[in-house]
């Protein structure tokens, strides 16, 4: 069985029929509260979370606050950032009555599950992880033990919350592979109790930022979901493209142009190659005008709802408290099962 599944169509298109048995899956995924969400999140994972929820799949979203300090010294304005994330999830269509949003620090059972999981991987395996290497390099700090082991922490999150389907961007694939390996090794050692989670990618698994590198909160190259229409248009105008006039869809030799075409295609449900044909000799200027229009149109309702939700912080806090108490029950239950399997249940 492959570990990575791709949506059958565009980022906002229908999912493959294999996913339609909604009762057979549990989605678990999340974000670091290092800043507000951007278009990469929306196209790379958030739209898929909402779509799966609306198909009836239970969805759990983790706000990974402990992971903020993997690559920096301080936690930042966490309360405000966590509220903003919740407002953005809800504005994108996550329904707190059907889905669970919780914060890492509120569910200590997941940290406890990490301990036996750490015993199942070697330090060489952790050091080989390409995403950890890239994040360590980008942080310009020496590699902390937390950054090195955060994929194990993430495995504990996914497995602890009983996730088997994980909608993520491409940068997360090595981590999901590790989570599968941990589930397998745990099962081999202590008995079959965990499912092996699978990554779910969209057709645009790595959205590039305006500088041509992966769009990322900490790189300052983002188009934020909360940006105004004018800010969005100005950012898109400043996005890197290339010097060829005629627009073609060629992700390998023209990654920045392909990125804009994929954004337009993903948001409007069209094939990026057909969008390229439509723009043709209009060149980068016409492509950017089209991209700004499509982004602003696609995000208009989300932005309105986001602003309304942010005006009601006590509601957002209530959503988090409620989700965190639900998550505590699930994670506590998994931890108990893991302990039983390990012969570590003699205290009770
Ligand atoms: P940071 O710079 O703080 O690491 P980030 O922008 O990389 O922030 P994360 O919180 O690390 O965002 O990622 C949350 C989820 O969003 C992950 O599943 C990740 O794969 C996905 N994601 C983030 N950026 C992109 C992107 N540019 N394209 C596609 N998916 C993305
Ligand atoms: Mg990241």
């Amino acid at each position: 069985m492959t570990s990575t599944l791709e949506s059958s169509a565009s980022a906002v298109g229908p999912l493959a029929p294999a996913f339609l048995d909604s009762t057979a899956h549990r989605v678990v995924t999340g974000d670091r509260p290092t800043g507000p969400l951007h278009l990469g999140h929306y196209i790379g994972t958030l739209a898929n979370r909402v779509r799966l929820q609306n198909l009836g799949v239970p969805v759990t979203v983790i706000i990974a606050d402990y992971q903020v300090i993997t690559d920096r010294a301080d936690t930042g304005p966490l309360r405000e950032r966590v509220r903003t994330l919740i407002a953005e999830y809800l504005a994108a269509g996550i329904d707190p009555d059907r889905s669970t949003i919780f914060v890492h620090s509120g569910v200590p059972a997941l940290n406890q599950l990490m301990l036996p999981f750490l015993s199942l991987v070697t330090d060489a395996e952790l050091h080989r992880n390409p995403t950890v290497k890239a994040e360590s390099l980008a942080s310009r700090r020496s590699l902390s033990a937390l950054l090195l082991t955060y994929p194990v922490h993430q495995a504990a999150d996914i497995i602890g919350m009983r996730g088997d389907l994980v909608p993520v961007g491409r940068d997360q694939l090595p981590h999901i592979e590790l989570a599968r390996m941990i589930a397998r090794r745990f099962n081999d050692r202590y008995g079959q109790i965990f499912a092996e989670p699978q990554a779910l990618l969209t057709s645009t698994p790595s959205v590039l930022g305006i500088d041509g590198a992966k769009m990322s909160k900490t790189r300052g190259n983002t188009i934020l979901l909360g940006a105004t229409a004018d800010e969005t248009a100005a950012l898109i105008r400043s996005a890197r493209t290339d010097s060829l006039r005629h627009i073609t869809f060629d992700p390998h030799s023209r990654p920045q142009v392909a990125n804009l075409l994929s954004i337009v295609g993903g948001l409007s449900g069209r094939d990026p190659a057909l969008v390229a044909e439509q723009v043709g000799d209009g060149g980068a200027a016409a492509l950017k005008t089209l991209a700004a229009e499509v982004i602003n149109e696609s995000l208009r309702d989300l932005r309105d709802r986001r602003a309304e939700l942010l005006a009601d912080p006590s509601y957002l806090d209530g959503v988090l408290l409620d989700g965190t108490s639900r998550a505590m029950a699930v994670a506590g239950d998994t931890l108990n099962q893991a302990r039983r399997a390990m012969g570590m249940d003699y205290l009770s």
Side-chain angles (χ1 to χ4, degrees):
M1 185 161 67
T2 59
S3 61
T4 307
L5 303 165
E6 276 192 52
S7 300
S8 58
S10 69
V12 289
L15 289 165
F19 298 118
L20 290 179
D21 182 7
S22 54
T23 53
H25 294 290
R26 278 182 71 92
V27 163
V28 175
T29 184
D31 310 288
R32 301 202 300 163
T34 44
L37 295 180
H38 51 69
L39 207 54
H41 294 115
Y42 186 72
I43 295 177
T45 159
L46 185 50
N48 252 351
R49 300 174 191 175
V50 173
R51 195 149 11 101
L52 286 157
Q53 167 199 269
N54 293 344
L55 286 170
V57 183
V59 172
T60 297
V61 183
I62 303 170
I63 300 179
D65 53 0
Y66 273 124
Q67 291 181 7
V68 171
I69 46 170
T70 51
D71 63 354
R72 66 203 71 198
D74 69 78
T75 51
L78 267 185
R79 183 185 293 274
E80 183 197 318
R81 284 182 174 164
V82 168
R83 279 184 184 143
T84 304
L85 284 186
I86 297 167
E88 292 176 333
Y89 297 148
L90 302 190
I94 295 289
D95 171 359
D97 292 331
R98 285 184 285 167
S99 295
T100 299
I101 302 171
F102 76 93
V103 73
H104 233 166
S105 55
V107 185
L110 295 174
N111 297 19
Q112 259 181 284
L113 193 59
M114 185 183 175
L115 292 176
F117 284 6
L118 280 169
S119 76
L120 300 170
V121 292
T122 65
D123 80 314
E125 284 166 340
L126 294 176
H127 279 285
R128 268 203 296 275
N129 186 310
T131 301
V132 167
K133 279 191 206 162
E135 289 174 349
S136 172
L137 211 65
S139 76
R140 300 211 179 100
R141 299 160 59 90
S142 45
L143 176 64
S144 74
L146 186 62
L147 179 54
L148 182 67
T149 55
Y150 97 89
V152 184
H153 199 177
Q154 200 169 304
D157 293 342
I158 296 167
I159 295 169
M161 292 305 296
R162 296 295 191 176
D164 71 334
L165 209 51
V166 193
V168 283
R170 187 189 286 144
D171 60 302
Q172 294 293 310
L173 290 183
H175 305 350
I176 308 301
E177 238 5 273
L178 184 84
R180 292 169 64 76
M181 196 175 81
I182 287 175
R184 225 168 21 240
R185 287 181 182 172
F186 190 99
N187 291 343
D188 285 348
R189 202 171 283 188
Y190 302 112
Q192 186 72 33
I193 64 170
F194 294 134
E196 287 181 36
Q198 296 195 64
L200 176 65
L201 293 181
T202 69
S203 54
T204 315
S206 186
V207 177
L208 305 181
I210 52 171
D211 60 355
K214 173 192 170 288
M215 188 179 287
S216 157
K217 289 185 222 104
T218 43
R219 275 191 74 96
N221 63 353
T222 58
I223 294 163
L224 295 180
L225 297 186
T228 65
D230 287 346
E231 284 163 357
T232 302
L235 283 166
I236 291 286
R237 271 197 301 278
S238 73
R240 273 207 195 180
T241 47
D242 57 41
S243 54
L244 295 179
R245 169 90 196 164
H246 188 77
I247 295 299
T248 52
F249 182 63
D250 188 347
H252 293 291
S253 57
R254 307 185 70 186
Q256 287 114 341
V257 165
N259 183 54
L260 289 176
L261 291 166
S262 296
I263 290 173
V264 171
L267 291 176
S268 58
R270 280 186 288 163
D271 180 344
L274 294 180
V275 179
E277 272 176 33
Q278 179 200 328
V279 177
D281 286 331
L287 174 57
K288 287 177 174 181
T289 305
L290 176 66
E293 271 170 23
V294 168
I295 295 167
N296 285 334
E297 182 57 34
S298 306
L299 296 182
R300 192 183 320 133
D301 291 348
L302 183 156
R303 285 169 169 169
D304 291 346
R305 282 198 299 275
R306 176 186 186 275
E308 283 165 23
L309 285 157
L310 281 173
D312 193 354
S314 58
Y315 170 69
L316 300 173
D317 292 349
V319 167
L320 186 63
L321 271 177
D322 182 47
T324 301
S325 76
R326 275 188 262 159
M328 278 177 83
V330 177
D333 195 47
T334 310
L335 181 64
N336 285 339
Q337 283 186 44
R339 277 196 186 136
R340 247 194 320 277
M342 297 169 71
M344 241 185 213
D345 56 344
Y346 50 85
L347 261 185
S348 51

